[in-house]
Amino acid sequence: MNYDIIVVGGGHAGCEAALVGARTNHNTLLITSNKNNIADMPCNPSIGGPAKGIVVREIAALGGEMANNIDKSFLQMKMLNTKKGPAVRALRAQADKITYKKEMLKTLESEKNLTILEAMVEDLIIDNDVIKGVILENGDKISSKAVVLTTGTYLKGTVLYGSTKISSGPHDERPSKFLSDNLKKLGFRIKRLKTGTPPRIEKSSIDFSKAELQPGDDVEHFFSFYNENHYDVTKQIPCYLIYTTPVTHQIIRDNLDKSSMYGGYVEGVGPRYCPSIEDKIVRFSDKERHQLFLEPESIFYDDIYIQGFSTSMPHDIQEKMVHSLPGLENAVINKYAYAIEYDAIDSTQLKPTLETKIISGLYTAGQINGTSGYEEAACQGLMAGINAVLKLDGKEGLVLKRNEAYIGVLIDDLVTKGVIDPYRLLTSRAEYRLLLRHDNADLRLMDYGKSIGLISNTQYNKLTNKRKNINKLIKDLKEYLLNPNNENNQYLESINTPKIVVTTSLYDLLKRPEINIKDLNKFIDLSYDEDVLEQVNINVKYEGYIVKANKEAEKMAAYENIKIPDNIDYEQIHNIAKEAKQKLSEIRPTSIGQAMRISGVNPSDITMLMVYLKRKNNE
């Protein structure tokens, strides 16, 4: 059997990578241990949230599938941070985890260039440091020109609760026992990481009168672009908010030694930004309570997910913890919480294309790279798939810049800084977050999606029309001059903004914080789509900040354009600190810009490196 691309693993990363290969007319094989677990949500049944929701929009703009799939399978949709600035607004959907899996499997099976095989990959076929295929558990060999590893938490997966340790992946699935050892033999540095999940509760056993209702928004939202479907906002499934109690905290403190983590049974490093409830109680001991969300998992069964209550306590302690929560005094636990450990590689051994530095044609994506989260996995799978395809086609790889996409921020962080604990994307990680907004992901990235062949002509024509309308509306706002007469000033006062004393353009008037673009409908035709109005409103109001951010990005781009040869010997550069030489030799940055972001490399080291490169170029 011969394929162009083999994708190992059917999680969110694997689905995106496989679809890229198939949709660009490459014969693609997706290998997964259980087809029924494709696009599974073993933890939080949601897509999106702060920063993550913007990533899903970026996936859509590049031609990925996650946005389309959640738009077909959500239970509730909300726009977060609406009272804050546009840089931190993000969409979050409560997913129906059963429908989500079914819809994604249906999409995969409809691709004519994609084959799905249920099997376990335990080794790779390598020839002169070039990938040639994979070896299955039964010894069968399958050849390919590129391989994308998206193994999730299955590499030597171990489930833990209390002192109990079971060799397992999620859902009692068999883990991959030998692949990470074989990767280690090839020279990959292996890390041990940990994540976890909360208990699931039988819905009928919860007293929701003691919880605070959390409904979906009363307006329609979509992750995908130019969506012409509609849904009834009144029929969304609600979530609920509750809080931990002093009794909860005391139960946890009294039994910390029984927790897998605090009892010394855990080897891996857990997620800093998504800690277990026992970790929260210890790290934030001054907090009197922690918020928890009761979230539905599917319309097909009654499990309720306790968001924020991840734990690795023994089952009997979990019972006491759950019953200490308001409304859950008589709750029935359908599935106990657990922690899971797994192997991952050192992500600094990757190129910015997500191709490994050790083996040509081998790409990795998702939790194997040290990230957590469905969205982080999906965007890596998409980019690994795109770059595998581009390499097969003899084209230059696609590397998104930090000012172009949150995806660019995530991948640059992985390959430049590496991870100690499972990496979670945050808005604070993006220095250009005002440029990387929910509302402009299509404007930023759809050109790339079109050039790769993942965006249709119909989609792209809509983008072109959107750009044209944005430019026309901005032009009209600049050209329409408002005179300071009584009629105009009376209207301005009626919308609670000061009168004008000189002739003023609508463009300048819109910069006032109390004026919304729709307030200008009295003076100018605003019969544009909502996304056009939103785009113009934001661009005008935040023009000064956007211009400043673009200037800073341009300044950094100058350093990104100073390329560093791959064969450079950092030991030959004088006056660079020993730590800097070690880090530079290990990570091998492709540009001065990337070198500047390496921990342990100081400005003086960069100066000497630039002097060395200039001298070499002049020789």
Side-chain angles (χ1 to χ4, degrees), residues 68-252:
N68 296 325
N69 207 61
I70 187 59
D71 282 351
K72 292 185 287 187
S73 57
F74 68 90
L75 299 173
Q76 182 195 105
M77 194 81 79
K78 294 181 78 167
M79 181 66 75
L80 306 181
N81 299 324
T82 54
K83 295 181 180 179
K84 298 181 180 180
V88 295
R89 293 173 198 160
L91 201 55
R92 183 185 187 275
Q94 195 65 30
D96 186 316
K97 62 191 304 180
I98 300 300
T99 305
Y100 190 94
K101 290 198 302 183
K102 287 181 177 178
E103 288 295 333
M104 185 64 83
L105 180 58
K106 188 189 302 182
T107 298
L108 292 166
E109 291 181 330
S110 69
E111 291 293 336
K112 62 180 181 180
N113 296 311
L114 179 59
T115 302
I116 301 174
L117 173 67
E118 287 188 325
M120 187 75 78
V121 172
E122 292 294 8
D123 206 351
L124 304 174
I125 304 171
I126 310 294
D127 183 12
N128 291 322
D129 297 331
V130 177
I131 195 74
K132 295 297 181 180
V134 300
I135 302 175
L136 302 183
E137 185 181 40
N138 63 6
D140 287 352
K141 296 181 179 181
I142 306 177
S143 299
S144 68
K145 301 171 186 175
V147 171
V148 185
L149 296 180
T150 68
T151 49
T153 59
Y154 282 83
L155 289 184
K156 287 193 174 178
T158 303
V159 167
L160 304 95
Y161 51 90
S163 60
T164 301
K165 299 181 75 169
I166 302 169
S167 178
S168 175
H171 309 304
D172 300 321
E173 294 283 331
R174 289 191 309 119
S176 172
K177 294 184 177 181
F178 305 108
L179 183 55
S180 62
D181 287 339
N182 289 324
L183 290 173
K184 193 172 184 178
K185 291 176 185 176
L186 291 170
F188 288 98
R189 295 185 291 273
I190 303 298
K191 297 172 177 282
R192 193 72 173 160
L193 300 177
K194 178 192 81 75
T195 187
T197 186
R200 272 64 161 185
I201 309 301
E202 188 174 308
K203 183 179 180 181
S204 60
S205 68
I206 299 174
D207 181 359
F208 288 103
S209 68
K210 296 181 180 181
E212 180 183 329
L213 183 69
Q214 300 285 304
D217 285 352
D218 58 4
V219 295
E220 288 185 321
H221 299 294
F222 297 99
F223 278 102
S224 56
F225 293 97
Y226 320 129
N227 199 313
E228 296 179 357
N229 297 320
H230 296 280
Y231 61 93
D232 188 341
V233 296
T234 66
K235 293 184 178 179
Q236 297 179 82
I237 308 297
C239 298
Y240 294 85
L241 172 64
I242 60 172
Y243 294 89
T244 57
T245 68
V247 176
T248 313
H249 293 208
Q250 194 58 51
I251 293 170
I252 292 170

Side-chain angles (χ1 to χ4, degrees), residues 18 173 210 333 354 416 472 504:
E173 294 283 331
K210 296 181 180 181
I333 299 178
L354 296 181
T416 303
K472 181 180 185 305
T504 305

